[in-house]
Amino acid sequence: MTRAPRRTLLAVALVTLVATTGCAAHWAYRQAEDAVARGEWDLAVARYTKALEKDKKNIGYKIALENARIQASRFHYDKAREALAASDFEKAAEELEIASNYDPANRSASDDLKLVRDRIRKRQEEQEERAAFEQTKARAQAVARVPLPVLSPRSPVPITMRFEDGSLQKILESLGRIAGVNVLFDEGFRDKKATVNLSGITFQEALDRITFVNRLFYKVLDQNTIIIVPESRQKRTSYDELLLRTFYLQNAELNETVNLIKTLAKMQTVAPNPGLGAISVLGTLHQIAMAERIIESNDKARGEVLVEVRILEINRNNLKRWGLDLSNYTAAATLSPTGAENEVTAGLLNIRAHLLSSLNRADWVVTIPSTVFARFLQTDSNVRILASPRLRAAEGKKAELKIGTEVPIPVTSYTVGLSGGTNQGYLPATSFQYRNVGVNLTLEPRVAASGDITLQMTAEFSLLGDDRNVGSEGNPINVPTFLTRNVISTLRLRDGETGLIGGLLQGRDARSFSGAIGINNIPVIGKLFGDNRRSVDETEVLISITPRIVRAPKVTEEDMVPLRVGTQEVPRVEGVHPALFGPEPAPAAPEAAPPQASGVAAPAGARPLAAPAPPAAIEPAIPTPAPAAALPPGAGSEGSAVSSSGSAPDTRPTGAILSPPEVVLQVGQTGAVAIVVVGGRDIMGVELTVAWDAALAEVTDVAAGSLLSLDGVPVAAERAIEVGRARVKFSRASGVTGSGAVAALTLRGLKPGSGSLVVESLNLVHASGSERPTLPAPGRLVVAP
């Protein structure tokens, strides 16, 4: 191929490319022009930009693009102002940012963008502050610890107890010794016989049931001591701790909430703080819990309603006027001999006397109607006045709308005037009060949790009437009168439902006739010769109300669940009182000695009980207890057991106690005492030696305790009962873990007196060896005559 054809092909390609580019640019420009005609400025900017990219040297495209960018900036700026009017700050910020990007020279858009972003930031900070308050409140409730004393950690294993007609005091003492708790009694406590049969419950549950059945209550004095008190209002007042707490309200009315707390929680010491919107209460733990539930259920955000009101007033006027009407229905004859000016004044003729002799008809001037009007007129007009306001009202708060004119109304009062001690009479003093004449509308909404809206509506429509004279003849006083229509109604509507109130109709029918006397009595002609007028005016008002819920009260499921608050005599909220035992401390070193019972000073009038040293704290697993095994035959009228099973690992030392530590018998009668192991692990056998004062009592039987027999596994026994000493060995096929009685001794009184009961040795047999737990403190044996 030669050079000439190549150059020709290159030129053709170049021309084709230029033509194609020019066509594409022109086509984009045409699309941009169409978008401008439709007012779509964003699309116009995009098309102009494309056209300019295709033809960068086209000055017309550049000018059109700059103009489109300016118009698009103004368009988005107007959109931003509309969003600001609707309080949509996010949308306004977006539109202002677009407007600034289109036209950087639009300083109004950039300045407003800064202001809107500041408002958004402030609103977010306010929302974060409110959320921070709610989070602070939630954290305070989560970590709040009731400042009441609790017992030190004890074994939470289930307890099995059986007493038949036993001493109530001994039952409570035995229960305390099982848990290693000192039990004191108020001076008003009276011992009595009681029957207890409890199985598979904790120490706290057993204590609650026994005290409730026997009309008692207890109070924790310190980590190792409780006191038993007879149930009465006076004792409750003396022993119940008072707590002080402040609640910060967010939405509820302060005085209404105070009245609710006083009425329902039976609290008299309730102090409001209007400045902070807070309520400080002083009461017992259960009263404060009831006050908290009352406040949480009632401190809800008020419902808000946007009410669209349309007021339509229709005035109908129908006027008819017909007949022949003279310009004046009067005729007069006036004597004017000379025709001079001021000859006739005030109906009198002023002439010289010599002219009277020459009077004739020519000296009289007659006045008659000079014009006759023929009227055939009918007017029919309808006037519609429409008002369409929007009212936003909070629940229980009134929203008022006034459309009209303020009319002054004079109000006169009289006072006694004194001058120099002399009565000058009554002196009037006039002041003015203004009344709105037009439309007065008052709405008070209430939003139900179901979504229904109740509107208390008061509407007044008034018109200004004619003035009326209310003064005396010498002192006229004109005051305005008013034509008023009032509506007081209650509407119940759903969200978005429209209610219509109509029928407020006021009418006026007026007829009048003017003409010569008697003409109107002539048939047919009388209707034509005279001025007949008939006017019919009607005014009707229609009210259209459409409520829309902006915010509804948030009622949760917890608010509708009833709260158990005890009885009328003893208010009590379940789950509020802290656990009887405190949290478990960190495990002690194996060589650490078990804690000893602390000496606690009892309140005035309390009867102290010499309690043994409590065992070391343990934490075994709590399985479902098996049915309680009966005490061995001949165990007497009293017995107790603490049992548990499971194999939770525990490295703390095992302890043992006597229950009860003091055995009281009568001569010839029998009683029982149990050796209780606390924190036993995998026990397969027990080797035990017990010694007592042989002159006072004898041991008739030694049986396996409930810890060994509670799960139904057979227990083999080897007994050697001597005078003043008993040796016994129990064994079973599988191990048992927990706390409870491993042996029960039945004693019979022989001779009055007192002595000791000592566990000389105690060996617990495991699968891997044996263990010697801490021996219990010596018990006391008392035989009464």
Side-chain angles (χ1 to χ4, degrees), residues 402 405-413 429-437 464 478-482:
K402 292 184 178 181
T405 304
E406 295 286 340
V407 177
I409 303 174
V411 177
T412 303
S413 60
T430 302
S431 60
F432 291 90
Q433 296 180 353
Y434 287 85
R435 174 177 175 177
N436 185 75
V437 178
L464 185 62
N478 293 325
V479 296
T481 59
F482 304 94

Side-chain angles (χ1 to χ4, degrees), residues 476-522:
I477 300 176
N478 293 325
V479 296
T481 59
F482 304 94
L483 303 176
T484 305
R485 285 158 290 172
N486 293 318
V487 176
I488 300 176
S489 177
T490 301
L491 302 178
R492 188 175 180 90
L493 304 172
R494 300 288 297 179
D495 183 21
E497 184 180 357
T498 300
L500 188 65
I501 299 177
L504 302 176
L505 187 65
Q506 179 177 344
R508 179 182 180 185
D509 190 349
R511 299 171 183 263
S512 63
F513 171 80
S514 60
I517 298 176
I519 290 181
N520 61 330
N521 295 327
I522 301 175

Side-chain angles (χ1 to χ4, degrees), residues 351-484:
I351 61 173
R352 296 184 179 276
H354 70 278
L355 297 177
L356 295 176
S357 60
S358 61
L359 294 178
N360 55 33
R361 290 182 298 177
D363 297 326
W364 292 89
V365 178
V366 180
T367 302
I368 61 176
S370 61
T371 306
V372 178
F373 298 94
R375 289 189 174 90
F376 304 95
L377 176 65
Q378 178 175 347
T379 301
D380 192 354
S381 62
N382 294 330
V383 180
R384 306 179 68 188
I385 302 174
L386 179 64
S388 181
R390 290 186 176 185
L391 303 178
R392 181 166 178 170
E395 182 175 3
K397 302 296 183 180
K398 292 183 179 180
E400 295 184 357
L401 171 67
K402 292 184 178 181
I403 302 174
T405 304
E406 295 286 340
V407 177
I409 303 174
V411 177
T412 303
S413 60
Y414 294 88
T415 58
V416 178
L418 298 176
S419 178
T422 305
N423 190 347
Q424 301 297 323
Y426 292 97
L427 300 179
T430 302
S431 60
F432 291 90
Q433 296 180 353
Y434 287 85
R435 174 177 175 177
N436 185 75
V437 178
V439 178
N440 297 323
L441 183 64
T442 302
L443 297 174
E444 182 178 347
R446 293 192 179 276
V447 183
S450 60
D452 287 350
I453 304 171
T454 302
L455 291 175
Q456 297 285 346
M457 186 191 71
T458 302
E460 177 184 296
F461 304 91
S462 56
L463 298 173
L464 185 62
D466 299 332
D467 291 345
R468 179 176 298 177
N469 184 10
V470 296
S472 59
E473 182 177 354
N475 184 24
I477 300 176
N478 293 325
V479 296
T481 59
F482 304 94
L483 303 176
T484 305

Side-chain angles (χ1 to χ4, degrees), residues 80-399:
R81 294 177 64 87
E82 294 177 2
L84 284 175
S87 298
D88 190 352
F89 299 130
E90 287 77 9
K91 179 66 174 178
E94 180 182 351
E95 295 291 343
L96 289 172
E97 185 175 5
I98 296 174
S100 300
N101 293 334
Y102 275 138
D103 185 10
N106 190 347
R107 302 301 302 173
S108 297
S110 58
D111 293 342
D112 290 349
L113 179 60
K114 294 180 181 179
L115 295 177
V116 170
R117 285 177 175 174
D118 289 340
R119 296 182 67 176
I120 293 175
R121 179 179 54 80
K122 291 180 181 179
R123 187 177 65 177
Q124 290 177 349
E125 290 176 354
E126 293 176 356
Q127 293 175 352
E128 290 175 357
E129 289 178 0
R130 290 193 293 268
F133 174 79
E134 296 297 332
Q135 293 174 1
T136 302
K137 180 180 177 181
R139 287 196 303 268
Q141 293 177 347
V143 302
R145 183 182 66 85
V146 179
L148 294 178
V150 294
L151 297 175
S152 61
R154 299 292 189 273
S155 173
V157 297
I159 291 175
T160 298
M161 295 187 63
R162 289 184 181 178
F163 287 88
E164 296 291 340
D165 290 333
S167 168
L168 180 58
Q169 180 176 347
K170 297 299 181 182
I171 294 173
L172 293 171
E173 291 173 353
S174 301
L175 185 63
R177 289 183 177 88
I178 292 174
V181 177
N182 298 328
V183 180
L184 305 179
F185 296 88
D186 181 78
E187 62 180 357
F189 176 81
R190 297 292 181 266
D191 193 14
K192 63 178 182 179
K193 296 294 183 180
T195 299
V196 176
N197 188 358
L198 301 175
S199 177
I201 61 176
T202 64
F203 170 77
Q204 183 173 358
E205 293 173 341
L207 187 61
D208 288 339
R209 295 185 185 183
I210 294 174
T211 53
F212 177 77
V213 170
N214 294 279
R215 292 188 58 79
L216 303 171
F217 70 93
Y218 62 90
K219 178 182 178 181
V220 178
L221 299 180
D222 61 14
Q223 292 184 353
N224 297 295
T225 309
I226 64 173
I227 185 169
I228 306 299
V229 187
E231 183 67 77
S232 67
R233 186 177 297 275
Q234 182 179 2
K235 292 295 184 181
R236 284 283 184 180
T237 304
S238 301
Y239 281 94
D240 280 349
E241 299 282 351
L242 293 181
L243 302 178
L244 176 65
R245 184 173 175 184
T246 300
F247 298 94
Y248 296 91
L249 303 184
Q250 300 299 310
N251 304 283
E253 291 289 343
L254 195 64
N255 294 330
E256 294 179 359
T257 308
V258 168
N259 293 332
L260 282 175
I261 294 174
K262 288 183 177 180
T263 303
L264 299 179
K266 308 297 182 183
M267 300 179 69
Q268 298 301 323
T269 310
V270 182
N273 185 350
L276 288 176
I279 298 176
S280 297
V281 297
L282 180 65
T284 65
L285 179 65
H286 300 285
Q287 288 177 328
I288 289 180
M290 286 188 282
E292 181 179 9
R293 176 63 180 274
I294 293 171
I295 292 175
E296 289 180 353
S297 299
N298 292 275
D299 190 18
K300 304 290 185 182
R302 289 180 177 271
E304 291 190 32
V305 177
L306 181 65
V307 183
E308 298 178 359
V309 182
R310 294 185 179 180
I311 302 173
L312 180 65
E313 183 175 348
I314 303 175
N315 296 329
R316 303 184 184 94
N317 180 264
N318 188 294
L319 173 64
K320 293 181 180 180
R321 188 174 183 182
W322 69 94
L324 299 176
D325 184 14
L326 299 178
S327 61
N328 195 344
Y329 287 94
T330 59
T334 304
L335 181 62
S336 180
T338 63
E341 186 177 358
N342 297 328
E343 183 179 12
V344 179
T345 59
L348 300 176
L349 180 64
N350 300 316
I351 61 173
R352 296 184 179 276
H354 70 278
L355 297 177
L356 295 176
S357 60
S358 61
L359 294 178
N360 55 33
R361 290 182 298 177
D363 297 326
W364 292 89
V365 178
V366 180
T367 302
I368 61 176
S370 61
T371 306
V372 178
F373 298 94
R375 289 189 174 90
F376 304 95
L377 176 65
Q378 178 175 347
T379 301
D380 192 354
S381 62
N382 294 330
V383 180
R384 306 179 68 188
I385 302 174
L386 179 64
S388 181
R390 290 186 176 185
L391 303 178
R392 181 166 178 170
E395 182 175 3
K397 302 296 183 180
K398 292 183 179 180

